[in-house]
Amino acid sequence: LFLLFSTTWNTIPPVFFTYEGHRTMGTQKQQTRGLFITLEGVEGSGKSTQIRHLAEVLTQAGYRVLQTREPGGTATAEAIRHILLTAVSHEPVTPQAEALLILAARCQHVTHLIMPALRRGTLVLCDRFSDSTFAYQGFARGLDLQWLRAANEVATGGLTPDLTLVLDLPVSVGLARRRADRGQQNRLDRETERFHRKVRRGFLALAAEEPGRMTIVNANRPAQEVRDDLTEIVVGWLARPRRPPRRRS
């Protein structure tokens, strides 16, 4: 799905990054349940670079931060990621199998990494999550969105990001960035431009459905401008009164 399969798949080592050893400062950061922030976007939107910056900024501000990615984050989930990205050409991965593999990886990720961190009061930053599944496997692959949402509910136990930032830019620009990347192209990178246009339309449609949770950020700008915008959005959002966790029983 969606998961796609971003530049991250090729450029980030199969590990997550944690800054939980840093000191937490200020009463505003003393919380019983951490916050869950995700970054989404089409290929080449710069998520991987921007999420690293956010982790550094928030750590310096005194938050305990866990930076992770999907698919991946745990040993089992990373193994599934490898399967998804390196599937042999003589055995195409069906859309249904792709979706189920991603959801299996997510179940492991949420159970063994994300939820334990949130229970400790850690701020979790994740490069892709459920919205990528809906955009890639739903809007682009054509799988039933109702089925995907129901299956995702099972995989996540109802966990939904508290804030999602969608880095948006024209597909042609993002794919050109990917082609310029010296890293090896993965299976998703080789999809058609038409496929990636459907992914982008999916993200925009999802953001329109949930404007309270999802914020679209123009990523067709210099990286520093995007970085400053994301920092302002997240810092401002964190300053708001805390809300109940987005996890259904």
Side-chain angles (χ1 to χ4, degrees), residues 2-24:
F2 53 58
L3 278 176
L4 344 113
F5 313 74
S6 67
T7 87
T8 316
W9 295 48
N10 293 322
T11 58
I12 293 183
V15 297
F16 60 87
F17 305 91
T18 177
Y19 300 84
E20 293 186 342
H22 286 254
R23 180 167 57 95
T24 302

Side-chain angles (χ1 to χ4, degrees), residues 221-232:
R221 298 177 289 168
Q224 185 62 55
E225 291 184 20
V226 178
R227 181 176 304 174
D228 293 344
D229 201 2
L230 288 172
T231 299
E232 181 178 356

Side-chain angles (χ1 to χ4, degrees), residues 84-245:
L84 285 164
L85 292 180
T86 61
V88 293
S89 60
H90 65 269
E91 184 186 344
V93 177
T94 69
Q96 293 84 353
E98 184 181 69
L100 290 168
L101 284 168
I102 289 169
L103 290 168
R106 179 167 302 138
C107 185
Q108 291 294 109
H109 193 200
V110 169
T111 301
H112 297 292
L113 184 64
I114 294 176
M115 281 309 303
L118 291 175
R119 292 190 188 103
R120 292 193 297 271
T122 299
L123 193 159
V124 177
L125 296 176
C126 190
D127 185 342
R128 295 198 183 281
F129 197 65
S130 301
D131 295 300
S132 275
T133 302
F134 305 145
Y136 280 82
Q137 283 65 54
F139 284 88
R141 295 288 192 213
L143 295 183
D144 182 70
L145 278 172
Q146 183 175 354
W147 176 80
L148 282 172
R149 286 185 167 118
N152 185 70
E153 179 86 7
V154 173
T156 64
L159 177 65
T160 301
D162 297 295
L163 174 67
T164 296
L165 303 168
V166 180
L167 275 60
D168 179 61
L169 79 173
V171 166
S172 59
V173 175
L175 292 181
R177 289 180 180 179
R178 292 293 294 124
R179 287 192 292 268
D181 187 348
R182 295 186 179 183
Q184 183 180 0
Q185 300 291 288
N186 63 50
R187 188 171 62 86
L188 267 291
D189 291 327
R190 294 190 289 271
E191 288 289 350
T192 66
E193 186 166 332
R194 180 171 179 268
F195 171 87
H196 290 288
R197 286 198 298 269
K198 289 181 180 179
V199 171
R200 185 191 184 195
R201 287 197 294 270
F203 279 126
L204 296 178
L206 292 167
E209 290 176 5
E210 293 192 71
R213 173 176 69 87
M214 303 179 72
T215 298
I216 298 173
V217 177
N218 176 14
N220 193 20
R221 298 177 289 168
Q224 185 62 55
E225 291 184 20
V226 178
R227 181 176 304 174
D228 293 344
D229 201 2
L230 288 172
T231 299
E232 181 178 356
I233 292 170
V234 173
V235 171
W237 179 80
L238 288 170
R240 299 175 187 175
R242 290 291 181 264
R243 294 160 289 180

